[in-house]
Amino acid sequence: VVSTQSTGAAEWGIFEVNLKRLSTSTSTVHTETSNMSYTVNSSGKYVISIAPEMWKMIMSRDGFAGIHPVPHYKLESGRYIIELTAVQWGIFELNLKLLPTS
């Protein structure tokens, strides 16, 4: 059945997040670099592990801009661990693209 009802952008975003939750295993680690990796836990939050060098860069360049409240971190094995919602993760990813690559 095809609906002719239009879907708003916010609703579409929620739908996409829900699809990702269905297809993402909670035990899968997605490693971007040795400086940062993340998993998606069973509640759909992104659990991010950040190396100290990367953490300093993120903090000095306002890498959590637009994320309120700023996430609290805990230290595990010398790495900073934070949890973000799917919406916060999207903002964080955009902020990371603005960081220098070197």
Side-chain angles (χ1 to χ4, degrees), residues 1-7:
V1 175
V2 177
S3 173
T4 57
Q5 182 179 7
S6 66
T7 302

Side-chain angles (χ1 to χ4, degrees), residues 21-41:
R21 284 184 187 165
L22 292 174
S23 64
T24 304
S25 168
T26 58
S27 62
T28 303
V29 176
H30 305 272
T31 302
E32 297 295 326
T33 67
S34 60
N35 288 326
M36 190 171 69
S37 62
Y38 70 89
T39 60
V40 180
N41 67 19

Side-chain angles (χ1 to χ4, degrees), residues 43-65:
S43 66
K45 288 195 175 185
Y46 289 73
V47 181
I48 306 158
S49 173
I50 305 169
E53 307 83 39
M54 183 73 162
W55 181 262
K56 287 177 190 172
M57 183 181 295
I58 290 168
M59 296 307 288
S60 70
R61 309 280 181 165
D62 201 18
F64 295 110

Side-chain angles (χ1 to χ4, degrees), residues 5-19:
Q5 182 179 7
S6 66
T7 302
E11 293 168 324
W12 180 254
I14 293 168
F15 176 72
E16 287 182 314
V17 168
N18 289 336
L19 283 179

